[in-house]
Structure formats: structure tokens, C-alpha cells
Amino acid sequence: MLIRIGYDIAFDLPAETPIQVLLNVHPSLLPQLRQPEKLRVSPDVLVTYFTDAFGNTAGRLLAPAGVVRFENDAVIEVSGLYDDADFYAPQIPIQNLPSDVLQYLLASRYCEVDLMRDIAWQLFSTTQPNYSRAKAIAAWVHNHITFNYSLADSTRTAMQAYGQKVGVCRDFTHLAITLTRAMNIPARYATGYLGDIGVPPDDSPMDFSAWYEVFLGGKWWTMDARHNKVRIGRVVMARGRDAVDCALTTAYGVTILKKFHIITDEIKT
């Protein structure tokens, strides 16, 4: 299956501003690109690329005052299969986890594992210590939070989402990650493209999406508390502990969003 991916995003900057971006597909997906990415920045400024601490392709630039525009257009090939799952994938004892996975058990900026541990054990202690436990958490979060784009809050934490019972995909993801880590299952944040492929079209404007991955049976598995169903055509751009690590744009100054257009369309053959 071929998917056209890309975006047209513009910000108005009152002053010269350093910006960091995670606007490319994850490096692991580069072999699947059938039309390479080409990040274009207007006005033309130097973008310096590097690999961040979580293995994502990051760029940094010094944007001049005024309107700065980011554009990209690419074609990627995906399997066309639904997210993989295995309800018997076992939870691995902490002492047997790979060392690089341990960080995904800890509290992070938006995931207050220490504050929610008792809540998690009250809710999920009777579940089986395998994939079904992680799936039960995703389903519970899906039913606990009401999606409301108009109430999006970039500072809302998992604990706040638990109390307010409202949010957007990042809030579903943060709460599910926090409860999963509290049950001693490593969980990491993921963000990228997720179009309306294999599901009824959504009338809302296309956006980037957030989901998460859990480590069970020696493998990372995709989870999605926002939709609570397997999907086709996810394209990962970044992974990390939470939304801080996966922010697609981080500006070290004032920015005003002027345009936000995302493309995630299946190419019919």
C-alpha cells in the first residue's frame, strides 16, 4: 500500500527564533519511502540535522522574524495490514528487561507514574500479566476520556486528564502510558501520520496523531487508547517518553500558528 504524506505548516514569528523540528519520518522507515522526503523551509534558512537521544531525525534552525513555512511531500509504502497483536505476549519481569527499555517505566513530564501507581493497581491488578493487561488499560482509558479538540491543553498531564476526563489524542496516550508503566510494563510515546484508511472518513481536518507502544515478550506493540482499535497505515515520525520528546516543532520564543495542513492519503493503484 502506498500513502502520500506531507504537510504545509506556517508560523508568524515576532522576532528571530531558534526552532527544533521532528518533521521527518522515523529513520527506521527510510527504506519504505518511494518518493523521498524533502523538507522545505521558507524563507530559505540552513537546517542542521542530527539524531536525538531517542533515535529520531531532528533538525534545528534559526528562523528570521516574520512568517516561516515548513513543507514536505513524500510517498511511503506500508504493509496495508492492521496493527499487529498477540494477547499471549507476556509481561517481562523488570530484572529481565533490556537496559535501554527501563527508562520507559519511569515518570516523565506528562506521565506521573508515582502519583498514579495506586490507582493503576486498584483498576488492573486482577488482569493477566500479558498483552491483555495492556489492552485492558487502553480500553479503560478510551472509555474514561471524552475526545474534545476544542478543549485541547498543551500543559495537561496524565493525572489531570484522569481527573478532567476530557482531552485529545495526546491526553489519551499520556494517561494510558502512565497507567501501563505503573503496572510495570514499559510504554513509550509515538507520533506521526494516521489517515482515515480502512475506517469511515472523519470530517475534522487531518492532523498528526499520537499513540504509544508497549514492550511485552521482547517486542514493542502498538497501542491506541484514542481509537481503541487496530488501524492501517500508521507512519511513525518520533518516539520518546512523552509529548516533550516527540514535539514536532519546538520554538524557543513566541510563535503564532498561521497554517496547518496535513496530508495522509492512500494512493489508489
Side-chain angles (χ1 to χ4, degrees), residues 168-181:
V168 293
C169 58
R170 60 178 273 158
D171 301 303
F172 286 81
T173 300
H174 284 146
L175 180 54
I177 285 175
T178 303
L179 295 171
T180 302
R181 290 178 187 169

Side-chain angles (χ1 to χ4, degrees), residues 36-182:
E37 292 186 295
K38 186 177 181 182
L39 174 59
R40 302 179 298 280
V41 182
S42 303
D44 188 17
V45 296
L46 176 66
V47 179
T48 303
Y49 290 96
F50 64 99
T51 300
D52 71 11
F54 300 94
N56 305 310
T57 297
R60 56 188 299 184
L61 63 145
L62 181 60
V67 175
V68 60
R69 184 178 182 187
F70 300 91
E71 298 176 90
N72 205 346
D73 189 8
V75 174
I76 191 166
E77 183 174 358
V78 300
S79 68
L81 303 176
Y82 287 96
D83 300 324
D84 202 5
D86 180 1
F87 276 83
Y88 298 100
Q91 182 171 340
I92 298 175
I94 293 175
Q95 64 271 24
N96 295 334
L97 287 169
S99 297
D100 61 340
V101 171
L102 291 174
Q103 65 180 318
Y104 298 110
L105 287 172
L106 303 176
S108 55
R109 166 66 179 86
Y110 290 105
C111 301
E112 310 103 318
V113 177
D114 48 346
L115 299 182
M116 299 202 70
R117 195 173 301 279
D118 289 346
I119 295 170
W121 280 92
Q122 290 169 13
L123 290 170
F124 305 110
S125 61
T126 60
T127 58
Q128 292 298 310
N130 54 26
Y131 184 100
S132 62
R133 169 172 286 174
K135 185 62 178 175
I137 293 171
W140 186 89
V141 171
H142 175 78
N143 292 322
H144 185 75
I145 295 181
T146 299
F147 185 89
N148 190 325
Y149 198 80
S150 68
L151 295 178
D153 181 352
S154 62
T155 67
R156 183 183 289 124
T157 68
M159 190 70 179
Q160 290 169 334
Y162 171 77
Q164 296 169 11
K165 300 182 181 180
V166 68
V168 293
C169 58
R170 60 178 273 158
D171 301 303
F172 286 81
T173 300
H174 284 146
L175 180 54
I177 285 175
T178 303
L179 295 171
T180 302
R181 290 178 187 169

Side-chain angles (χ1 to χ4, degrees), residues 47 53 58 73 89 130 145 176 183 185 195 202 211 252 263:
V47 179
D73 189 8
N130 54 26
I145 295 181
M183 297 302 295
I185 298 175
D202 190 331
W211 59 91
Y252 298 92
I263 301 166

Side-chain angles (χ1 to χ4, degrees), residues 1 11 23 25 41 67 78 83 98 105 121 143 147 150 184-186 190-191 196 210 233 237 239 249 260 265 269:
M1 173 186 291
F11 299 96
L23 287 173
V25 299
V41 182
V67 175
V78 300
D83 300 324
L105 287 172
W121 280 92
N143 292 322
F147 185 89
S150 68
N184 296 327
I185 298 175
T191 190
D196 298 328
M237 298 172 74
R239 295 186 177 99
T249 61
F260 190 80
D265 298 325
T269 56

